[in-house]
Amino acid sequence: MTNLIISSNRENGAFIEQLLHEISTGPIVTASSGNEARRLISGDTRPDLVIIDTPLSDEFGQDLAEITAVDSVGVVLIFRKDSSENIPDNLPQNVAILKRPFSREEFRNTVENFPEIAGIKPESADILTKIEEMRLINRAKCTLMEYLDFTEPQAHRYIEKQAMNNRRTRRETAEKILDTYKK
C-alpha cells in the first residue's frame, strides 16, 4: 500500500510521516505542493492513501483531494479547526476530514478505519482491491508494449499465458513483469 503525504509545512509533514510509519508498512512518498503531487500521481506513483495537510503552498488542497479521490482508495484532508468553514459539503465519499490539532489516536483511527469512515462497504473494499489489481496488470501490459513492442491484445495474452503456465495469479505475473523491466 503506497501512501502519499502532501504538506507545505515541513514540521507537519514530518509528524504525519512519523505517525504513518507507526501504522503502515507500505512505502511513503512526500510532496510539498499540489503541483508536485500531481506530477507524482501522473507518473509511476499510484497511492492507495493520500494525506493532504491544508493549506498547500500553491493551492488550498480541496481540488487536489477531489481529483486524487478518483484514482486513490482514500484521501485524508487535514484542516485547521479555525479554517473548518472552508470544508465543502460535497466531497467525494472516499475523502475523510481530520481537524488539526489531532491526537495520535485520532490519526490512527482515521487511517486504520478508513473504509468505515469513508462509508466504503466490505463489498466495495473488494471492488477496490480488484481495481488496484487491474491497474497493476495494465501497468504490466504497458511495460510489455514499451519494452517488447507488444500490442495490447498480445500483452494481455502474454500475461494470461504466463500466469497459467507458472501457476501464478495474474497479479503475481504482472508484479514479476514490472520487477523485471522497471529496474
Side-chain angles (χ1 to χ4, degrees):
M1 177 173 174
T2 302
N3 304 292
L4 174 60
I5 299 171
I6 309 160
S7 179
S8 296
N9 183 313
R10 285 187 180 169
E11 291 173 8
N12 288 353
F15 178 66
I16 294 167
E17 187 171 356
Q18 176 190 3
L19 293 176
L20 202 51
H21 273 297
E22 293 175 7
I23 58 176
S24 176
T25 58
I28 298 174
V29 180
T30 60
S32 60
S33 69
N35 285 331
E36 183 181 357
R38 284 183 176 85
R39 280 192 300 274
L40 287 169
I41 293 169
S42 66
D44 286 341
T45 303
R46 296 285 184 254
D48 298 302
L49 176 66
V50 177
I51 300 173
I52 303 173
D53 180 38
T54 65
L56 301 174
S57 60
D58 55 350
E59 63 182 278
F60 185 73
Q62 173 191 336
D63 292 338
L64 181 61
E66 292 175 5
I67 291 168
T68 56
V70 173
D71 291 328
S72 302
V73 171
V75 177
V76 177
L77 198 54
I78 301 174
F79 284 90
R80 286 193 323 254
K81 284 193 182 195
D82 61 346
S83 67
S84 60
E85 67 275 355
N86 295 330
I87 301 173
D89 295 330
N90 57 348
L91 284 172
Q93 182 179 3
N94 61 334
V95 176
I97 302 297
L98 187 62
K99 294 182 181 176
R100 189 176 47 241
F102 52 85
S103 67
R104 289 180 183 276
E105 194 61 34
E106 288 173 311
F107 182 83
R108 177 183 297 273
N109 286 337
T110 301
V111 173
E112 287 182 343
N113 301 318
F114 193 82
E116 291 81 16
I117 290 170
I120 299 171
K121 298 180 178 106
E123 307 89 50
S124 299
D126 290 341
I127 291 169
L128 294 173
T129 302
K130 288 179 183 180
I131 290 171
E132 179 57 34
E133 181 177 314
M134 289 172 49
R135 284 183 186 156
L136 185 71
I137 291 168
N138 284 335
R139 285 193 2 241
K141 284 183 196 178
C142 290
T143 299
L144 290 171
M145 292 164 59
E146 178 183 344
Y147 286 95
L148 301 179
D149 292 327
F150 281 5
T151 63
E152 195 275 334
Q154 288 172 325
H156 179 79
R157 178 160 164 59
Y158 179 83
I159 291 171
E160 294 281 330
K161 191 165 174 70
Q162 289 297 313
M164 284 189 299
N165 289 346
N166 297 319
R167 292 189 172 105
R168 291 188 178 145
T169 64
R170 294 182 319 150
R171 180 186 191 94
E172 292 169 335
T173 302
E175 288 170 346
K176 185 161 178 57
I177 290 168
L178 291 171
D179 287 344
T180 300
Y181 290 101
K182 294 291 184 173
K183 289 185 178 183

